[in-house]
Amino acid sequence: MKLLTYEIDGKEIVGVLNKEETWVCPISAAGMDYRSMKELIRECGPSEMEMLEYISGRDPNEIRGAAPLADVKILAPIPEPGQDIICLGINYTAHAVESARFKKEAFEKPAQAVYFSKRVSRAVDPEGSILAHRNLTRQLDYEAELAVIIKKDAVNVSREQVKDYIFGYTIMNDVSAREVQTGHKQWYFGKSLDGFTPLGPWILIVDAVEFPPKLSIQSRVNGELRQDSNTELFIHGIEDVICELSSGMTLKAGTIIATGTPAGVGMGFEPPRFLVPGDVVECIIEGIGTLRNTVAE
């Protein structure tokens, strides 16, 4: 099952895709009145999720308010995250190698997870624009990532309990200004500029795939394949990450954790191949879909 936030007739609505992914049905068809995806994540119980699953399998022509997917504007599933996004750096070995090469450092596989945060006032919608910020960077880069969404407050979660705390998955492009990132000796500013967090196109519910997920992850720039890996190659897996983080901090319902990017980002090429205005970036994850954005001035 896939849940999304969309706009039709000027209204922002939370909905569920039909099985064929051709129509979207508002959650009101299941008797729910949550005003946002954040509310749904915090408050939706098992019986309501079962009702959404039922609605997704019905004939959309029989559901009040259903609309063809082509007739709506798909928004980021969580347009305004409640907190900064928690990110993992250097979580695929091949990306760790290319990152060290770009920074002219010796490669060293990280023994511990590298955490940082990414500020986002509003996520970029699918088909929305990545802002180039040419006044700040000429090293604009892309990073396709699997994003994990927490469904209930998590404290001291064991590895065996982790799946029970996950609502689902979406795609994030961790857009980065490399010289800002390296120049400040930390990553916060260079990854948090406005328009640097494309998210979507929707949320795949956790039970829709095996756990931990072993999904193909790719990116394309102007149709050219750049990244091509699988989430089973994480250095630090989802269970380890959530177990470790929740041992010392509360992960609130709706928290987004971006799990790192594989090799093939722009800085990894020799010479580097950074983004410029007009470039079209697609981040693709098996079972979820494609997040497509264009670089704007």
Side-chain angles (χ1 to χ4, degrees):
M1 183 171 62
K2 294 175 178 177
L3 301 173
L4 71 160
T5 303
Y6 64 100
E7 182 181 298
I8 188 169
D9 297 329
K11 297 180 180 179
E12 187 175 300
I13 300 172
V14 180
V16 57
L17 283 180
N18 70 331
K19 299 295 186 183
E20 294 74 27
E21 301 185 7
T22 53
W23 285 67
V24 60
C25 305
I27 60 171
S28 59
M32 303 178 196
D33 61 356
Y34 300 124
R35 294 170 295 176
S36 69
M37 188 68 74
K38 287 187 290 188
E39 281 192 10
L40 185 150
I41 291 168
R42 286 196 305 266
E43 302 176 24
C44 188
S47 62
E48 290 178 299
M49 292 297 288
E50 289 178 5
M51 179 58 71
L52 288 172
E53 186 75 50
Y54 169 72
I55 290 294
S56 72
R58 287 186 56 193
D59 182 348
N61 290 293
E62 299 176 355
I63 298 176
R64 183 187 178 105
L69 191 62
D71 291 350
V72 308
K73 178 182 179 182
I74 303 173
L75 306 178
I78 304 178
E80 297 179 357
Q83 297 177 305
D84 286 3
I85 294 172
I86 299 173
C87 302
L88 273 82
I90 318 299
N91 203 31
Y92 292 80
T93 299
H95 177 57
V97 172
E98 68 179 3
S99 178
R101 183 174 63 242
F102 178 75
K103 293 183 288 185
K104 297 179 173 56
E105 297 175 350
F107 165 67
E108 184 175 341
K109 187 174 180 178
Q112 294 184 317
V114 177
Y115 298 117
F116 63 96
S117 63
K118 184 179 180 83
R119 177 162 293 257
V120 51
S121 55
R122 186 174 178 93
V124 178
D125 301 327
E127 302 295 338
S129 297
I130 296 168
L131 301 183
H133 290 282
R134 302 287 277 181
N135 61 316
L136 290 173
T137 181
R138 288 297 191 274
Q139 295 183 356
L140 186 69
D141 213 344
Y142 53 89
E143 294 188 3
E145 305 201 12
L146 177 72
V148 178
I149 301 165
I150 300 297
K151 74 175 179 182
K152 57 185 177 180
D153 290 2
V155 180
N156 293 323
V157 178
S158 69
R159 294 182 82 260
E160 294 72 26
Q161 295 173 315
V162 164
K163 183 184 176 184
D164 294 335
Y165 284 81
I166 296 175
F167 183 77
Y169 311 102
T170 192
I171 305 170
M172 188 181 89
N173 185 351
D174 181 17
V175 181
S176 308
R178 296 301 186 193
E179 73 271 65
V180 179
Q181 177 184 345
T182 57
H184 283 274
K185 306 302 181 185
Q186 49 74 35
W187 301 348
Y188 191 71
F189 185 38
K191 288 177 171 283
S192 299
L193 304 183
D194 291 342
F196 269 25
T197 311
L199 201 66
W202 33 63
I203 296 171
L204 177 71
I205 298 305
V206 64
D207 288 332
V209 292
E210 65 177 317
F211 185 83
K214 299 177 181 179
L215 306 174
S216 167
I217 178 170
Q218 299 178 325
S219 69
R220 294 180 181 272
V221 177
N222 301 325
E224 177 192 5
L225 183 65
R226 295 285 184 89
Q227 294 176 281
D228 189 10
S229 189
N230 194 290
T231 61
E232 69 177 329
L233 298 177
F234 289 148
I235 297 173
H236 304 284
I238 293 170
E239 307 101 310
D240 296 324
V241 167
I242 292 177
C243 178
E244 180 173 58
L245 289 174
S246 69
S247 70
M249 66 163 79
T250 300
L251 303 176
K252 303 289 289 183
T255 294
I256 301 171
I257 302 173
T259 54
T261 199
V265 299
M267 72 174 181
F269 289 89
E270 295 183 349
R273 302 174 68 182
F274 295 117
L275 300 173
V276 297
D279 282 348
V280 177
V281 185
E282 295 172 295
C283 299
I284 308 108
I285 297 183
E286 177 186 2
I288 302 178
T290 299
L291 175 64
R292 183 180 184 274
N293 300 95
T294 301
V295 180
E297 290 284 358

